[in-house]
Amino acid sequence: MNKQELNNNLNFLFQPNANIQVIVYAVLNNHENPRKLDIDDNDLLGIKNMFLDSITNLIVNEREHVVLPLSTADERGKCFYEYDLELPDELINLNEIIGNDNIELFNFNDEAIIHINSLIIVLGNGEHQVSLYKKLSPVEIIGRGSFFLIKSAERFEKFNNNLLRISPGFQAISINNTVIILNLKTIEKSFGFVDVIKREAIMGIEAIREIAILQNIDSLVGLINNTTFARKLIKIAKFSPVIQNNIPNAQIIHFSNTHPALQGKIRYNEDQTLIKLDTKVSIKLFVKLLNDDFLTSELTQLYYDSLAKDDIKSAEFEK
């Protein structure tokens, strides 16, 4: 899905007479099934309008953003990510909760507000729906850990109950069974996402092991716990042009030994048939090498290090 397709899929929310309704669900710390929140109709109207505005501001109006597969996530900004990895349970809820009429109501006799860790907000009508994932921050669950005073008649008194504050932000949206991540850093800190990243990164290690170009592949294995680096390994597993195009090892080593950005920064075994990754710099450059980030302009013969590479399959030019 690209950004224009994402906007098109959201258009139904803003059509005249769309009759958009909203339902709010709570996801609990104990990982049980979500609970539907019983909210007054007048308050639901305000919640609906707040999140419609939020979708407009966070997605539709972000005209410079692009949508990329999550497995290609890197240091670029202005990106939304289409989730193409194993879905953690809480994100599975984004899809499974739509159209599910068997979800229990949140019961104050069984649960407390402080047990809620995130919300799922479903917006839609009889034909189309979207669901939003909202991870709650500590300031959105106002409990008894602090001392709050409220106005009572003409004086202040202590507030002894818990409050749930619903703010307009959200971190992910699901539409047509496609999950789009808006805030990657928040998602990385939630549920089992880090474990998913580690499992997928192992596939990257295995892809590198299969081409047998490293003398010490354990230097990469030890970095899997680094989420940022693990994401780079995932990108290698799924999209490395060097691996996918079966570039011979001899050609890879020659390139690494002669390219201006790599020359002298990567070392080899005695007969120069294997690469030795013995520094942080060499590891970083090797990963970039497998992702084919080192480009040369055919026009100027200048060298570039580029994260964003659009694979041009074909092009039509106007006369």
Side-chain angles (χ1 to χ4, degrees):
M1 181 182 297
N2 59 39
K3 178 56 164 58
Q4 186 57 56
E5 290 170 336
L6 177 58
N7 284 1
N8 291 344
N9 284 328
L10 295 171
N11 278 344
F12 79 94
L13 292 169
F14 309 102
Q15 298 304 310
N17 303 317
N19 192 29
I20 301 299
Q21 305 296 314
V22 62
I23 306 174
V24 182
Y25 300 92
V27 179
L28 308 176
N29 288 323
N30 58 14
H31 303 297
E32 290 186 1
N33 292 329
R35 300 287 191 267
K36 180 180 177 180
L37 301 187
D38 187 7
I39 302 174
D40 181 85
D41 287 345
N42 290 328
D43 296 327
L44 282 175
L45 177 61
I47 292 172
K48 178 188 76 171
N49 291 333
M50 178 178 70
F51 280 107
L52 288 177
D53 288 343
S54 188
I55 290 171
T56 299
N57 295 328
L58 295 179
I59 300 178
V60 177
N61 287 348
E62 290 292 353
R63 294 180 175 84
E64 295 184 6
H65 275 56
V66 297
V67 178
L68 300 174
L70 181 60
S71 56
T72 68
D74 49 43
E75 294 84 2
R76 275 176 285 177
K78 296 184 178 180
C79 295
F80 300 134
Y81 294 102
E82 180 177 341
Y83 205 109
D84 61 342
L85 305 176
E86 172 194 344
L87 277 173
D89 289 342
E90 289 192 52
L91 290 185
I92 288 176
N93 285 331
L94 277 175
N95 295 329
E96 293 187 347
I97 209 166
I98 293 178
N100 188 344
D101 297 325
N102 298 317
I103 297 177
E104 298 179 16
L105 284 174
F106 184 92
N107 189 328
F108 285 99
N109 294 323
D110 300 326
E111 301 288 351
I113 289 177
I114 58 173
H115 297 155
I116 301 174
N117 69 62
S118 56
L119 300 176
I120 295 176
I121 300 95
V122 177
L123 295 157
N125 50 31
E127 296 182 52
H128 307 285
Q129 299 84 32
V130 300
S131 57
L132 315 178
Y133 175 83
K134 177 178 179 60
K135 182 70 176 179
L136 295 178
S137 65
V139 298
E140 290 171 305
I141 298 291
I142 303 174
R144 298 182 183 180
S146 302
F147 205 97
F148 293 94
L149 296 178
I150 61 172
K151 181 179 179 297
S152 177
E154 298 303 320
R155 66 187 306 183
F156 289 98
E157 65 178 27
K158 184 181 179 183
F159 181 76
N160 291 309
N161 295 317
N162 299 311
L163 289 177
L164 173 61
R165 174 176 173 261
I166 302 179
S167 60
F170 59 94
Q171 294 81 39
I173 183 169
S174 176
I175 182 164
N176 297 333
N177 290 316
T178 298
V179 175
I180 303 293
I181 305 297
L182 277 66
N183 189 318
L184 187 57
K185 289 184 178 180
T186 300
I187 292 296
E188 284 182 347
K189 298 175 182 178
S190 303
F191 38 82
F193 181 73
V194 171
D195 293 332
V196 171
I197 290 292
K198 290 179 182 178
R199 288 195 294 271
E200 297 279 347
I202 291 173
M203 297 171 58
I205 294 289
E206 293 308 311
I208 296 170
R209 193 188 304 275
E210 286 181 10
I211 65 174
I213 195 172
L214 293 182
Q215 185 179 63
N216 55 334
I217 196 168
D218 287 345
S219 60
L220 299 181
V221 175
L223 295 172
I224 285 181
N225 288 329
N226 182 316
T227 304
T228 299
F229 185 79
R231 288 206 310 264
K232 297 179 187 296
L233 292 174
I234 293 171
K235 187 175 179 180
I236 288 174
K238 293 181 177 290
F239 300 104
S240 168
V242 176
I243 294 177
Q244 289 185 352
N245 289 284
N246 298 313
I247 304 300
N249 287 359
Q251 186 175 335
I252 297 172
I253 290 174
H254 175 75
F255 182 88
S256 68
N257 207 8
T258 56
H259 191 281
L262 300 168
Q263 196 171 31
K265 298 176 183 177
I266 293 179
R267 295 197 293 180
Y268 315 90
N269 63 349
E270 289 186 5
D271 58 3
Q272 292 205 342
T273 58
L274 296 173
I275 290 175
K276 294 170 60 176
L277 299 181
D278 50 6
T279 66
K280 291 181 179 179
V281 171
S282 64
I283 291 173
K284 179 180 178 180
L285 292 176
F286 177 72
V287 169
K288 284 179 170 291
L289 171 62
L290 289 187
N291 281 322
D292 202 24
D293 288 342
F294 300 106
L295 308 179
T296 305
S297 167
E298 292 188 16
L299 178 62
T300 64
Q301 294 302 304
L302 294 176
Y303 298 99
Y304 297 95
D305 180 350
S306 175
L307 286 172
K309 301 183 292 296
D310 294 326
D311 184 16
I312 302 175
K313 301 296 185 183
S314 62
E316 294 183 0
F317 299 92
E318 295 183 358
K319 294 182 179 180

